[in-house]
Amino acid sequence: MAGYMDDDWLPPSEDEEEEAAECELPDYGDVNFWTEVYTQQRGRELAPQEWLVSYGHFCAQGWRRFLPPGGRVLDLGCGDAEFMTEAYDDGYHDITGVDIVEPVLETMRQRNVDRPGMTYLWADAMDLSVFEDESFDVVFDKSTLDALKCRGAEATSSMSSEVHRVLRRDGVYLCISLNPPEDAQPAIEGTACGRKWDVEVMVCENENYDGADGPPKHLYMKISSKRLRRQQPTGCGLQWVPNSLLKYHLVCLNISADVCKH
């Protein structure tokens, strides 16, 4: 048996190792994990139906103003949450939900069969080629970016680039996340060259926070508008022109406006 510097220390028992493994977070970026969740092969303890925030709590923060009436909404990684069903009943009647697990899409089609205007399609957040450029007024993401952070910067870059592409010029990307601004900034900002964002961040208390070792106390909503560019009349190159997004933010990220060099 190998010697240890601390004679009182012993390697963990098999029961202790199993208990520690049960406490580890799953790989939320793995499609197999979500397939098991939505086909009832795995419990919902670490994958609740309503991620992060309910529609009622969202509205209570005054955040409904970022969902334009009559706008076309893309729910990115919809899962089986009730959020957009409640939004539909509140007057938003053009909602497309996408996910990478077909069984959950069928569940949502059946649940919302009497809600014309709610559409569900299979699509990967990193490849939204099923949609044309500038198709949506709002792209709504409730922890999908968080999940893809498990797969690294290349995954979040692909997702952010695709969101930018399918968003209309005056549209907005709403990303609700557990990640604080210093973690979310590089994930959102790291798009393909030529696709830039203006990002503001709002914060609210987590409605599921109980003061114990559970969900964190705060949630963050990153409000990202496309940073547009146009030719300067002097012919001196490209200039970034930010959209006129209302500044209700509590924290504002100072994202670099450097023009990509080709």
Side-chain angles (χ1 to χ4, degrees):
M1 181 175 178
Y4 296 97
M5 294 180 66
D6 185 346
D7 292 336
D8 294 327
W9 186 89
L10 292 174
S13 66
E14 291 185 4
D15 289 342
E16 289 172 329
E17 288 182 338
E18 288 178 3
E19 182 178 351
E22 290 176 357
C23 293
E24 291 180 1
L25 290 176
D27 181 359
Y28 289 114
D30 183 1
V31 63
N32 294 318
F33 168 78
W34 294 108
T35 300
E36 291 175 1
V37 166
Y38 294 131
T39 55
Q40 291 76 54
Q41 300 176 57
R42 179 186 285 265
R44 301 301 296 263
E45 296 83 5
L46 297 175
Q49 180 180 4
E50 197 67 79
W51 279 90
L52 302 189
V53 63
S54 65
Y55 184 70
H57 194 63
F58 178 89
C59 293
Q61 312 311 308
W63 291 354
R64 186 179 184 273
R65 66 181 178 270
F66 296 110
L67 292 175
R72 190 180 185 203
V73 179
L74 175 64
D75 186 10
L76 196 62
C78 62
D80 58 358
E82 295 281 357
F83 189 102
M84 284 300 170
T85 298
E86 295 179 24
Y88 182 96
D89 293 343
D90 196 28
Y92 297 95
H93 293 163
D94 191 349
I95 300 172
T96 301
V98 298
D99 206 284
I100 53 174
V101 180
E102 181 59 39
V104 78
L105 293 170
E106 186 56 32
T107 296
M108 296 305 284
R109 292 183 191 112
Q110 295 300 320
R111 180 183 298 171
N112 296 295
V113 67
D114 295 325
R115 292 180 174 88
M118 292 198 79
T119 304
Y120 293 93
L121 300 173
W122 189 97
D124 191 318
M126 298 180 292
D127 180 6
L128 298 172
S129 55
V130 66
F131 303 116
E132 296 181 355
D133 295 357
E134 300 189 9
S135 293
F136 296 95
D137 299 289
V138 176
V139 176
F140 184 80
D141 159 17
K142 194 146 63 89
S143 217
T144 300
L145 184 73
D146 290 348
L148 282 182
K149 278 176 65 64
C150 296
R151 297 182 59 175
E154 184 176 350
T156 55
S157 175
S158 296
M159 172 182 157
S160 184
S161 295
E162 280 292 85
V163 170
H164 194 288
R165 182 185 63 79
V166 302
L167 196 64
R168 288 173 178 158
R169 289 171 61 86
D170 57 350
V172 63
Y173 169 35
L174 303 179
C175 175
I176 299 177
S177 170
L178 291 171
N179 285 293
E182 60 269 21
D183 292 334
Q185 176 175 340
I188 295 176
E189 186 186 16
T191 58
C193 187
R195 293 176 179 171
K196 296 289 184 179
W197 295 105
D198 286 307
V199 182
E200 298 177 82
V201 179
M202 303 189 74
V203 62
C204 76
E205 186 163 311
N206 189 342
E207 63 187 307
N208 298 311
Y209 176 69
D210 59 9
D213 293 332
K217 185 174 183 179
H218 295 107
L219 301 176
Y220 304 89
M221 182 167 75
K222 289 79 176 178
I223 308 159
S224 304
S225 57
K226 295 174 77 168
R227 182 175 296 163
L228 307 179
R229 58 184 181 179
R230 68 184 179 193
Q231 290 288 346
Q232 296 208 63
T234 57
C236 61
L238 295 175
Q239 178 185 19
W240 295 111
V241 183
N243 287 341
S244 57
L245 182 67
L246 294 177
K247 297 186 180 298
Y248 288 103
H249 62 285
L250 300 182
V251 182
C252 184
L253 298 181
N254 181 22
I255 293 181
S256 170
D258 291 341
V259 176
C260 286
K261 295 189 169 48
H262 297 275

